[in-house]
Amino acid sequence: MTNSTATTTDLDVRLEKHRTELTGYCYRMLGSSFEAEDAVQDTMVRAWRSYDKFEGRSSLRSWLYRIATNVCLDMLTAGNKRARPMDLTESTPLAQAALSPRPDNTWLEPMPDARVLPTTDDPAEAAVAKESVRLAFMAALQQLPPKQRAVLILREVLAWKASEVAELLGTSVPSVNSALQRARATLAERDGQGADAAVSDPLDEKQQKLLERYVAAFEGYDMTALTTLLHEDAVMTMPPFDLWLTGHQDITGFMTTLGAPCAGSRLLPVQVNGLPGFAQYKPDPEKGGFSPWAVQVLEISEGRITGFHCFLDTQRWFPLFGLPLHLEAESDQVEEGA
């Protein structure tokens, strides 16, 4: 191996160490799983190409964040704000429920924890990281102007000093402090909009039991049992459709009417947006077994499910989560193993 090859390999390794945290940063900035991964790849390519100009006045990590910030700000110039259905329309009564899709770039997208949450031995740091990718917080971030968004994430989530943020953005400390103040004020105005997930890390025994009861109720399509688990003001969303429902009566009513084909589904647990979630497979009458239907993200508070969010574009989401695109029926699996 030549020195040049060794140096290249060493640089690749050093850059890759930062991929997960950079993906988390870009995801918070952009609200899109796939755009975040594209932004990080662009960041890595730019860093690799211009490494000979890196003078080492800041750390490699700071330099990468500067590149990533510029990539994200460039991507945000179109002004698109990704959102949840409740950020765009009023809640729809079940009697008027209609499934109207909107383009993919409308929606805040789900993200597997493993792609955005770096491992850390600091429980407080881990808790902040998880809270800052939860859907309600992510949706609030998308309402901020791009530079305020960057300041808030760098200061509040990543705990950078105001002077470090000022250097990264090429501005002054008073400007950074002012942007942070405005960003905090905007988030305070939105406080209470959407469910505030109070999820332990790891899940406590009560929350684990709640999820076990949820799986049993959903797989059994037992609406009476499901009603006892849903908060009376629970919210259900189903991007790419802009429909959203409020209250256990409308949610279970939807599930037994328009959602009736989901009866008999199977759920596999996933870790998504710092919250418990499930990959939902529904029965496939043509192929047999089960086909992907949704990535479910659950928000929990005070022993009840307050948010029930189903992301339906399974051809995109299931590969992202490393999930199979078909499940065999249990009887088939038994026969194969016999």
Side-chain angles (χ1 to χ4, degrees), residues 215-223 255 259-267 280-284 289-291 327 329-330:
V215 170
F218 194 94
E219 291 191 341
Y221 231 58
D222 182 341
M223 295 301 124
M255 290 174 68
C262 289
S265 289
R266 293 290 173 265
L267 300 181
Q280 178 194 344
Y281 291 81
K282 73 175 186 178
D284 188 331
F290 302 87
S291 291
L327 283 186
E330 287 176 16

Side-chain angles (χ1 to χ4, degrees), residues 2 9 21 23 30 37 59 66 75 92 106 121 135-136 158 210 214 227 282 309 316 336:
T2 66
T9 304
E21 65 170 311
T23 305
L30 301 169
E37 298 209 326
S59 67
R66 181 181 295 122
M75 292 173 75
T92 308
T106 307
D121 295 328
L135 295 175
L158 301 175
L210 175 66
Y214 169 75
T227 296
K282 73 175 186 178
H309 307 289
R316 298 171 79 216
E336 285 172 14

Side-chain angles (χ1 to χ4, degrees), residues 119-303:
T119 51
T120 174
D121 295 328
D122 184 340
E125 191 179 302
V128 169
K130 274 198 168 186
E131 286 164 14
S132 66
V133 293
R134 289 181 181 160
L135 295 175
F137 184 78
M138 286 287 299
L141 279 178
Q142 304 312 301
Q143 299 305 309
L144 298 174
K147 284 201 173 173
Q148 281 186 32
R149 203 180 304 176
V151 168
L152 185 91
I153 296 166
L154 291 164
R155 292 281 286 118
E156 302 275 275
V157 178
L158 301 175
W160 284 40
K161 296 174 183 174
S163 57
E164 294 171 327
V165 177
E167 184 181 348
L168 181 145
L169 293 173
T171 187
S172 66
V173 169
S175 176
V176 166
N177 290 336
S178 175
L180 181 60
Q181 195 170 5
R182 292 197 303 277
R184 283 173 174 164
T186 301
L187 293 194
E189 284 172 18
R190 286 180 56 87
D191 194 28
Q193 293 185 25
D196 179 22
V199 183
S200 304
D201 182 27
L203 296 177
D204 62 32
E205 188 179 351
K206 189 176 178 183
Q207 290 167 344
Q208 288 280 18
K209 286 269 191 340
L210 175 66
L211 293 181
E212 288 167 14
R213 290 168 62 202
Y214 169 75
V215 170
F218 194 94
E219 291 191 341
Y221 231 58
D222 182 341
M223 295 301 124
T224 302
L226 192 59
T227 296
T228 65
L229 306 179
L230 294 172
H231 190 277
E232 60 183 17
D233 296 323
V235 167
M236 178 182 184
T237 68
M238 291 165 287
F241 302 115
D242 57 14
L243 168 76
W244 63 284
L245 302 165
T246 309
H248 51 70
Q249 198 164 351
D250 275 5
I251 292 172
T252 55
F254 177 88
M255 290 174 68
T256 53
T257 53
L258 289 173
C262 289
S265 289
R266 293 290 173 265
L267 300 181
L268 299 182
V270 293
Q271 296 298 315
V272 51
N273 285 85
L275 294 164
F278 295 93
Q280 178 194 344
Y281 291 81
K282 73 175 186 178
D284 188 331
E286 293 178 10
K287 298 179 186 173
F290 302 87
S291 291
W293 183 246
V295 170
Q296 301 180 358
V297 185
L298 302 187
E299 293 171 318
I300 298 171
S301 185
E302 297 176 357

Side-chain angles (χ1 to χ4, degrees), residues 61-83:
R61 179 173 181 256
S62 298
W63 184 60
L64 287 171
Y65 269 93
R66 181 181 295 122
I67 297 170
T69 301
N70 289 332
V71 169
C72 290
L73 292 177
D74 287 346
M75 292 173 75
L76 289 166
T77 51
N80 180 49
K81 294 179 182 176
R82 288 180 177 265

